[in-house]
């Protein structure tokens, strides 16, 4: 297609922090850049290798920085900037960027918009703020979610949105074939997640204590990779978990290692991925571990049952440290051949669920149908 005839797309994100939504945003931007004229707006200064990758592809990135949580001048500057550039479509990820995208549609500076849901919620726990944000999706032309269970919940909570909602899985690019090999020294669990309270780092610490008391010797280690939250509630709970382990002489079992760029190599070196979240959409780390042939231990919430049903791993009650410890014990004592079979099945399942070409084609069809 001639460059001047390409569909011109604005992509809106909060920042380039290394979160699941931001990683998927960057992956989508790189793919859409092959077919359309893509530009990005971010409104926080945080950066990472994700921005470096987009800069390498010469995808324009404009920062319009917010000075405060409720910055009306930011909205004015955003409208003024976007009004000059004649985009055919704007796509946004996460609640706040979705809100700004819908404002752009309401005031008429973008003709069509797609908003992308990247989180989970439940009907009986919706806040007034969240309800308002969801009702604003009335102005969206398309709503996408990477979560099967979240698509169902949106339709249940907001029936007037049903015809706009589309399930579009996450985008991944794994081309090499990896083989699981059980660790020779000691069994290695890995967690890839931030440390917000609802990701349950404290429950995992409790489960380690239960494991020691119930099963005796601990012959495994746990590496937790991801952003260490600086929110007081999260920090207090994490510190309580670390103190609990120190009191029991178990502080060397789990290590909170923060964010790293090459997370895939760490997942490859582990034996099993653990994900303990209280609620989820479709977690990147779980899908990535499946592509890398890893068995899974997952909380029994949201999309997790779609990703494992006691064939390539186990589900557990994330509120019950005894259940977590029991499932860990089962994995640690599993034969190597059974672990390998579970890992092979993980990859087989995820390749069926998330075929890359199918996902790219689905995005292209949604975009081209929307801008018609």
């Amino acid at each position: 297609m001639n460059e001047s005839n390409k569909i011109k797309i604005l992509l809106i994100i909060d920042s380039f922090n290394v979160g699941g939504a931001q990683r998927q945003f960057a992956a989508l931007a790189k793919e859409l850049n092959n077919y359309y004229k893509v530009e990005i707006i971010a409104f926080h200064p945080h950066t990472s290798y994700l921005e470096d990758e987009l800069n390498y592809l010469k995808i324009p990135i404009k920062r319009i920085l917010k000075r405060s949580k409720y910055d009306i001048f930011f909205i004015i500057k955003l409208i003024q900037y976007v009004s000059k550039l004649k985009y055919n479509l704007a796509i946004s990820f996460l609640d706040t960027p979705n809100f700004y995208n819908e404002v752009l549609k309401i005031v008429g500076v973008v003709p069509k918009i797609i908003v992308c849901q990247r989180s989970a919620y439940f009907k009986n726990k919706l806040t007034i703020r969240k309800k308002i944000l969801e009702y604003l999706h009335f102005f969206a032309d398309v709503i996408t979610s990477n979560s099967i269970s979240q698509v169902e919940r949106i339709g249940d909570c907001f029936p007037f949105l049903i015809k706009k909602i589309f399930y579009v899985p996450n985008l991944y690019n794994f081309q090499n074939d990896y083989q699981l090999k059980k660790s020779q020294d000691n069994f290695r669990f890995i967690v890839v997640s931030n440390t917000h309270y609802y990701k349950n780092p404290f429950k995992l610490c409790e489960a380690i204590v239960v494991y020691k008391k119930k099963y005796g010797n601990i012959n495994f280690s746990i590496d937790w990779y991801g952003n260490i939250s600086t929110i007081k509630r999260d920090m207090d709970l994490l510190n309580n978990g670390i103190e609990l382990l120190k009191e029991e002489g178990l502080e060397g079992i789990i290590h909170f290692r923060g964010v790293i760029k090459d997370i895939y190599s760490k997942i490859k070196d582990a034996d099993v991925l653990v994900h303990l979240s209280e609620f989820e959409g479709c977690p990147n780390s779980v899908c990535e571990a499946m592509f890398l042939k890893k068995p899974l231990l997952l909380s029994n919430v949201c999309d997790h049952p779609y990703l494992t049903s006691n064939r390539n791993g186990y589900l557990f009650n994330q509120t019950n440290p005894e259940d977590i410890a029991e499932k860990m014990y089962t994995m640690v004592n599993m034969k190597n051949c059974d672990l390998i079979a579970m890992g092979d099945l993980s990859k087989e399942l995820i390749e069926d669920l998330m075929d890359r070409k199918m996902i790219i084609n689905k995005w292209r069809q949604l975009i081209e149908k929307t801008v018609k």
Side-chain angles (χ1 to χ4, degrees):
M1 184 184 291
N2 187 286
E3 189 72 24
S4 62
N5 294 327
K6 280 187 176 181
I7 294 172
K8 189 175 181 182
I9 299 176
L10 170 64
L11 299 177
I12 308 172
I13 192 68
D14 55 354
S15 73
F16 291 101
N17 268 340
V18 186
Q22 288 81 4
R23 287 161 61 199
Q24 280 299 311
F25 176 89
L28 179 62
K30 287 186 279 188
E31 286 300 331
L32 296 186
N33 189 55
N34 293 323
Y35 306 99
Y36 311 113
K37 188 173 181 180
V38 173
E39 299 176 7
I40 295 171
I41 288 179
F43 49 85
H44 289 307
H46 316 302
T47 189
S48 68
Y49 70 89
L50 296 174
E51 185 170 7
D52 295 337
E53 291 174 356
L54 296 170
N55 283 329
Y56 178 78
L57 296 174
K58 295 182 170 52
I59 298 175
I61 298 172
K62 170 70 175 178
R63 273 195 168 77
I64 304 175
L65 297 181
K66 289 177 65 174
R67 298 175 300 177
S68 63
K69 187 173 183 180
Y70 304 105
D71 185 356
I72 189 66
F73 294 105
F74 163 78
I75 296 176
I76 294 170
K77 286 187 288 184
L78 178 65
I79 292 170
Q80 289 174 337
Y81 178 79
V82 173
S83 66
K84 299 173 184 176
L85 296 172
K86 308 299 181 186
Y87 296 105
N88 302 111
L89 174 72
I91 303 174
S92 52
F93 274 49
L94 299 172
D95 280 351
T96 303
N98 287 344
F99 168 74
Y100 294 134
N101 200 8
E102 285 157 348
V103 169
L104 294 175
K105 173 73 179 294
I106 290 167
V107 300
V109 296
V110 288
K112 303 285 184 176
I113 65 171
I114 297 175
V115 298
C116 303
Q117 282 268 6
R118 314 303 295 185
S119 61
Y121 57 71
F122 301 91
K123 195 170 189 176
N124 61 343
K125 294 184 178 179
L126 279 169
T127 63
I128 293 174
R129 176 184 179 274
K130 185 63 176 175
K131 287 180 181 179
I132 292 170
L133 290 174
E134 294 301 298
Y135 277 113
L136 282 170
H137 292 342
F138 170 82
F139 296 99
D141 297 281
V142 171
I143 304 163
T144 72
S145 175
N146 64 337
S147 163
I148 296 170
S149 56
Q150 181 60 12
V151 167
E152 294 168 352
R153 282 191 296 274
I154 296 170
D156 181 44
C157 297
F158 304 96
F160 67 95
L161 298 176
I162 286 177
K163 292 183 179 179
K164 298 183 178 187
I165 307 167
F166 295 86
Y167 167 63
V168 185
N170 286 342
L171 266 173
Y172 300 101
N173 187 21
F174 289 93
Q175 297 174 341
N176 296 324
D177 191 37
Y178 300 103
Q179 182 60 60
L180 173 70
K181 293 182 180 178
K182 190 172 181 178
S183 306
Q184 296 302 308
D185 45 1
N186 74 322
F187 200 91
R188 289 181 293 216
F189 292 103
I190 187 170
V191 182
V192 183
S193 173
N194 61 57
T195 59
H196 289 310
Y197 71 92
Y198 53 83
K199 300 295 186 178
N200 282 320
F202 181 74
K203 290 296 181 185
L204 184 55
C205 293
E206 286 186 312
I208 294 169
V209 174
V210 169
Y211 191 107
K212 174 68 175 177
K213 291 178 178 178
K214 190 172 182 178
Y215 303 113
N217 183 48
I218 291 183
N219 56 344
F220 63 80
S221 61
I222 306 172
D223 288 305
W224 186 304
Y225 292 94
N227 184 54
I228 307 297
S229 174
T230 55
I231 298 171
K232 186 178 186 306
R233 177 181 180 181
D234 301 333
M235 292 174 65
D236 289 346
L237 206 57
L238 178 60
N239 289 333
N240 289 344
I242 293 170
E243 285 301 315
L244 174 65
L245 293 177
K246 285 182 179 178
E247 291 170 8
E248 300 291 335
L250 299 170
E251 63 269 26
I253 302 300
I254 186 168
H255 303 277
F256 293 92
R257 301 194 182 276
V259 174
I260 64 166
K261 180 177 179 179
D262 187 16
I263 190 60
Y264 296 157
S265 67
K266 301 301 181 183
I267 296 175
K268 283 165 57 182
D269 289 342
D271 295 296
V272 172
L273 180 123
V274 183
H275 206 263
L276 307 100
S277 188
E278 287 286 341
F279 55 88
E280 268 305 330
C282 185
N284 275 321
S285 61
V286 174
C287 298
E288 289 161 344
M290 292 175 74
F291 275 110
L292 295 172
K293 293 189 173 183
K294 297 299 165 181
L296 309 170
L297 286 181
L298 308 178
S299 52
N300 190 9
V301 299
C302 302
D303 275 24
H304 283 170
Y306 293 105
L307 300 173
T308 183
S309 52
N310 293 340
R311 294 186 297 158
N312 60 319
Y314 297 104
L315 299 170
F316 54 75
N317 180 352
Q318 71 280 2
T319 67
N320 185 345
E322 290 197 0
D323 192 30
I324 299 169
E326 179 184 326
K327 298 304 192 302
M328 293 173 73
Y329 179 80
T330 300
M331 283 294 197
V332 169
N333 290 280
M334 192 171 286
K335 291 180 181 178
N336 192 43
C337 60
D338 293 333
L339 279 174
I340 290 173
M342 274 190 165
D344 287 340
L345 184 55
S346 275
K347 186 170 185 184
E348 182 182 320
L349 289 171
I350 200 66
E351 285 181 334
D352 286 343
L353 285 169
M354 299 186 184
D355 177 76
R356 184 175 179 82
K357 289 183 180 178
M358 177 272 292
I359 296 167
I360 294 169
N361 286 336
K362 190 162 188 176
W363 268 111
R364 293 188 66 191
Q365 288 167 9
L366 278 176
I367 288 168
E368 290 166 24
K369 185 177 179 181
T370 302
V371 299
K372 273 186 177 179

